Amino acid sequence: MLLLKYLGYPDLAYVAVTRAAEVIAELEDSQYSALSDFFTAHVLLAAGSPEQALAHTATAISVLERQRGGARALHALLGELHLISATAIARDKARAGEVRRLDVETHLTEAKRLAQFTGETWDWHLNFGLTNVGIHRVSLNAALGRHSAAVHAGDALNPEMITAPGRRMAYHADLGKALAHLRGREPDATRELLLAERVAPQRLRADPLARECVTYRLGRPMPSHTRRDLRGLSHRIGVPT
């Protein structure tokens, strides 16, 4: 279902996640229900419904919080729910800017605390740990327009710690988006976008924010070799030049 979402088919992803939720409900297992809410939130975000996504994650977090004595896998799932909650809040433009930032930071702080307990994990196939929390910090600061903070958050990260190409692609793409807004960092921004394409080209080509970033950069002054590389990327992802 996440593959469908990332490739630009949120309608099909919603069908898949809804059918999965029906089956999971029959298990009567709170952790699997929380996992179902996690995937549903992802799909709702892709469909442009951050408030509904947050409602699902809030329910799941509340349920798992009552089982905090559980194993590492439970804490990893809880951490991922805090990360997707932060993402939903960052995209909820109905919230005031500073309120949004503080609410995002609250969820990031809790996710970091949980990651310090779990270490780097692959529980639930979710790649939870300090590396993924750091990647989300880059993404969320970029989404909030805090471009310098996003770049600073990415300085000490090693995305290769995560096996999932999609997460590594997100790191490079979001770092590139942030760098694109900083004076004198145009070559670095293009380099990061090209790295994102190398890691997961299909994901980058379906990312509307990456396409928007490339369009924005093409309209700005930059060194000739950077423009050449960016024009090549724009051609491959279908951005008109």
Side-chain angles (χ1 to χ4, degrees):
M1 62 192 73
L2 291 188
L3 178 62
L4 290 168
K5 166 202 162 181
Y6 287 128
L7 293 182
Y9 300 101
D11 52 343
L12 298 180
Y14 186 76
V15 171
V17 79
T18 301
R19 296 294 178 267
E22 292 170 356
V23 175
I24 288 172
E26 296 181 7
L27 298 176
E28 297 184 348
D29 184 301
S30 59
Q31 291 188 42
Y32 276 100
S33 293
L35 184 65
S36 175
D37 281 322
F38 170 80
F39 286 121
T40 300
H42 260 284
V43 174
L44 287 169
L45 280 177
S49 300
E51 290 184 354
Q52 292 183 51
L54 190 60
H56 278 270
T57 60
T59 298
I61 288 173
S62 177
V63 170
L64 294 186
E65 284 283 359
R66 295 196 291 269
Q67 305 175 36
R68 288 294 287 273
R72 184 187 70 179
L74 183 148
H75 291 81
L77 178 54
L78 184 56
E80 285 286 346
L81 284 162
H82 278 290
L83 292 179
I84 194 66
S85 295
T87 303
I89 290 168
R91 297 186 187 180
D92 185 3
K93 301 300 177 62
R95 294 174 184 246
E98 185 62 11
V99 171
R100 230 178 344 140
R101 185 189 70 79
L102 291 173
D103 288 347
V104 165
E105 187 59 39
T106 296
H107 283 287
L108 277 174
T109 299
E110 182 60 14
K112 180 179 179 181
R113 190 186 69 78
L114 289 162
Q116 289 169 333
F117 170 78
T118 65
E120 300 290 340
T121 76
W122 204 48
D123 294 312
W124 306 102
H125 302 279
L126 295 178
N127 288 276
F128 182 69
L130 286 172
T131 303
N132 202 6
V133 173
I135 290 174
H136 276 79
R137 188 172 290 279
V138 173
S139 300
L140 291 165
N141 274 300
L144 292 170
R146 305 179 73 242
H147 306 300
S148 294
V151 173
H152 178 71
D155 284 343
L157 278 179
N158 176 16
E160 298 303 318
M161 290 288 293
I162 285 188
T163 58
R167 297 310 305 141
R168 299 201 307 274
M169 174 270 174
Y171 165 80
H172 290 297
D174 290 326
L175 185 56
K177 295 168 196 172
L179 286 164
H181 288 83
L182 301 182
R183 186 186 298 273
R185 302 300 301 270
E186 294 87 0
D188 297 326
T190 300
R191 184 191 68 244
E192 291 298 332
L193 290 169
L194 290 171
L195 284 170
E197 183 190 31
R198 187 181 307 167
V199 172
Q202 71 281 19
R203 282 276 303 273
L204 186 73
R205 292 166 190 167
D207 183 345
L209 295 180
R211 293 165 60 86
E212 180 181 306
C213 177
V214 170
T215 301
Y216 168 77
R217 284 306 320 148
L218 285 170
R220 307 287 293 178
M222 68 186 75
S224 58
H225 66 279
T226 301
R227 182 171 296 278
R228 181 193 64 235
D229 292 341
L230 194 62
R231 285 175 66 88
L233 175 61
S234 69
H235 174 73
R236 293 190 295 275
I237 66 175
V239 171
T241 58

